[in-house]
Amino acid sequence: MKKIKAKFILTPDKIIENGEILFKRKIIKIGKNLPNTNKTYKFDLVMPALINTHTHLEFSKNKTLLEYGDFITWLNSVIHHRENLFIECKGDCFKKAIDEMKRSGVCAFGEISSTGNDLKYLRHSPLKVVYFNEIVGSNPGAVDVLYTDFLSRLQSSLELKSDKFHPAISIHSPYSVHPILMQKVLNIAREKNLPIQAHFMESKAEREWLDRGEGDFKKFFEKIFPHAKPLISPKEFLYQFRGLKTTFIHCVWANDEELDIIKNLNASIAHCPISNRLLNVGKLNLKKVMDKKIPFSVATDGLSSNYSLNIFKELRAALFMHYEIDPNALAKELIISVTKTAANSLNLNNGEIAPNKDADLIAIKLPHTKSNIHLHTILHTNEVEKMFINGEEI
Ligand code: MCF
Ligand code: FE
């Protein structure tokens, strides 16, 4: 058994001053004047280790290759360069990406796997991985081939299931997945109780295409299929996720009705402010999401649409982007978003300092602080002092 003494413990909802935590693999007790143990640590601030719900590590070789500034231009550059980026990202590339998250206090991440080639690297990850096997493809002629390939990737990930590696499923988006393919894949998620992620209403182009079959996506699809039409309405798409544990990524262009459906599905939203800025898709109405009490997590997305996987940089981007929300109130919500809400979204037993939760903890140096604790934590942290995963020092 180990003990931590800290000037501040963020649970994350509450702040405990001069508190103590007893833990082994799991958290045993929180309080004051707890019994002594062989090992006692002393820190300024302790909180649950952070969770990055949405990444695409296969794209980690990208620095300047992909084009930013417009969603469709970016998408075309992804289609053009993705094979090369995937080939170039091998062991060291994944290690570097994971290291950057780890140093910023991330103990677990949601990975969208497009090819399955990342599996051999991520199976040995020191961080917990929720591995979302992605399905993408809207050509009816290719449904069978895509489905067979998906099943084989899913099977390989299911064989590696452990307390640190959790297989899951991703439907890329309503504009890029054929409804038949989507239904088949969601049936598996239902059968096997796997969490789901889907990109939803990221760009104005997606909004115009799904609502009216118009806009920039019309030109994009007509290059491949003449007379292309959207295959599903946004509402129909959302209803497919009934009964599943779903995280919708982005939702920048989701309307009130869609946000209410997301809320009623008990789903959550992953908010990626830097990705949204770089692809220039606009700004999520986070105030509305919070007013509607829709759970949200802040996530980095991949290096395909970000310059860093450091979760504190992402939190600061969110803090500065949503200037209409009081900074102290927002900072608290942001910390909850990357701990408790993120754990819930990925079906993990961490993200909170409470008895029986996994002892996934971080310690941060924050001297001479009396007030604005959540805000100062976000402002002054880039790397954490120490991280524990399942009670072990990392
Ligand atoms: O979240 C960002 C932007 N929105 C959509 N997709 C992706 C993002 N980063 C990487 N992607 C991947 C996605 O997983 O790009 C491909 C998919 O494999 C686009 S579809 C050819
Ligand atoms: Fe993404």
Side-chain angles (χ1 to χ4, degrees):
M1 191 150 56
K2 296 168 188 163
K3 182 159 101 168
I4 286 177
K5 287 177 164 215
K7 287 186 208 154
F8 295 102
I9 298 173
L10 305 192
T11 68
D13 309 67
K14 277 191 274 163
I15 301 175
I16 301 171
E17 277 189 53
N18 297 316
E20 297 179 352
I21 307 167
L22 281 183
F23 64 101
K24 286 186 182 165
R25 203 172 187 291
K26 292 193 190 292
I27 293 165
I28 299 165
K29 202 168 177 182
I30 304 113
K32 294 189 182 194
N33 304 316
L34 298 177
N36 282 330
T37 54
N38 317 342
K39 181 90 192 153
T40 301
Y41 300 88
K42 285 190 183 162
F43 300 119
D44 289 339
L45 185 143
V46 173
M47 59 188 284
L50 310 182
I51 301 160
N52 189 3
T53 51
H54 182 77
T55 67
H56 300 254
L57 296 195
E58 287 167 306
F59 288 90
S60 297
K61 265 286 169 187
N62 178 57
K63 265 213 168 95
T64 51
L65 206 54
L66 299 181
E67 283 194 52
Y68 295 158
D70 170 73
F71 184 75
I72 298 285
T73 310
W74 172 83
L75 192 57
N76 278 317
S77 76
V78 166
I79 292 167
H80 190 241
H81 292 293
R82 69 182 212 152
E83 287 310 319
N84 276 339
L85 286 170
F86 290 169
I87 291 168
E88 282 174 31
C89 192
K90 297 199 176 68
D92 271 359
C93 167
F94 283 100
K95 190 176 175 304
K96 230 176 115 191
I98 290 174
D99 264 7
E100 192 182 16
M101 289 196 278
K102 189 171 81 176
R103 280 185 273 115
S104 76
V106 167
C107 69
F109 61 98
E111 158 73 351
I112 304 294
S113 169
S114 301
T115 64
N117 296 340
D118 46 356
L119 193 62
K120 55 179 175 292
Y121 306 113
L122 299 189
R123 61 186 292 186
H124 301 300
S125 159
L127 312 184
K128 296 178 178 176
V129 185
V130 183
Y131 186 81
F132 292 89
N133 293 281
E134 180 181 66
I135 187 90
V136 52
S138 55
N139 181 351
V143 163
D144 289 339
V145 178
L146 292 171
Y147 186 60
T148 310
D149 172 67
F150 169 83
L151 286 181
S152 115
R153 286 185 281 127
L154 178 68
Q155 187 51 36
S156 310
S157 68
L158 287 169
E159 284 162 17
L160 295 177
K161 192 172 166 39
S162 73
D163 62 340
K164 279 183 109 173
F165 186 89
H166 306 265
I169 291 178
S170 161
I171 305 285
H172 177 253
S173 77
Y175 59 83
S176 63
V177 182
H178 195 282
I180 295 179
L181 203 48
M182 173 171 173
Q183 233 172 41
K184 280 165 159 281
V185 166
L186 289 184
N187 282 339
I188 303 178
R190 234 170 239 115
E191 230 171 73
K192 300 196 184 296
N193 198 18
L194 301 176
I196 296 274
Q197 287 198 352
H199 295 89
F200 182 71
M201 281 301 162
E202 180 176 7
S203 62
K204 185 172 181 211
E206 179 174 348
R207 179 85 264 169
E208 290 178 336
W209 172 248
L210 295 179
D211 285 350
R212 296 182 283 111
E214 294 291 343
D216 289 352
F217 260 121
K218 187 176 160 82
K219 283 174 246 154
F220 176 87
F221 280 120
E222 280 186 342
K223 277 193 288 179
I224 328 169
F225 323 109
H227 317 297
K229 290 257 165 337
L231 297 165
I232 198 162
S233 76
K235 274 208 286 185
E236 264 178 89
F237 179 79
L238 291 176
Y239 286 135
Q240 304 292 316
F241 295 88
R242 268 186 283 229
L244 288 163
K245 175 102 199 157
T246 313
T247 304
F248 293 103
I249 320 302
H250 304 310
C251 300
V252 173
W253 287 82
N255 60 29
D256 269 288
E257 199 183 4
E258 289 153 3
L259 290 175
D260 292 339
I261 297 172
I262 290 173
K263 161 94 184 152
N264 290 331
L265 287 169
N266 282 324
S268 70
I269 291 175
H271 173 38
C272 310
I274 298 178
S275 170
N276 294 162
R277 179 66 186 113
L278 294 178
L279 306 193
N280 205 21
V281 293
K283 177 169 167 279
L284 174 73
N285 191 338
L286 191 64
K287 169 93 173 53
K288 189 183 270 183
V289 169
M290 282 162 58
D291 287 347
K292 286 184 184 287
K293 300 204 176 342
I294 301 170
F296 73 95
S297 56
V298 165
T300 59
D301 225 341
L303 291 176
S304 23
S305 55
N306 206 326
Y307 67 101
S308 167
L309 296 171
N310 183 317
I311 194 81
F312 276 100
K313 293 185 180 169
E314 201 68 40
L315 289 168
R316 284 196 288 275
L319 186 73
F320 298 137
M321 179 186 263
H322 302 287
Y323 51 77
E324 68 282 11
I325 309 172
D326 169 82
N328 281 299
L330 178 56
K332 185 174 176 201
E333 290 306 319
L334 292 174
I335 297 248
I336 293 173
S337 95
V338 290
T339 52
K340 198 174 165 177
T341 311
N344 194 286
S345 135
L346 296 183
N347 258 352
L348 296 172
N349 182 45
N350 56 8
E352 266 177 277
I353 302 189
N356 294 322
K357 291 286 174 184
D358 295 351
D360 296 350
L361 304 165
I362 52 175
I364 285 170
K365 279 207 162 80
L366 205 63
H368 315 302
T369 325
K370 280 271 175 288
S371 53
N372 310 149
I373 307 281
H374 295 89
L375 183 59
H376 284 312
T377 300
I378 293 178
L379 291 177
H380 299 293
T381 315
N382 282 308
E383 299 198 353
V384 298
E385 186 182 352
K386 181 106 47 213
M387 176 155 68
F388 299 86
I389 298 184
N390 292 335
E392 299 294 333
E393 271 186 57
I394 295 291

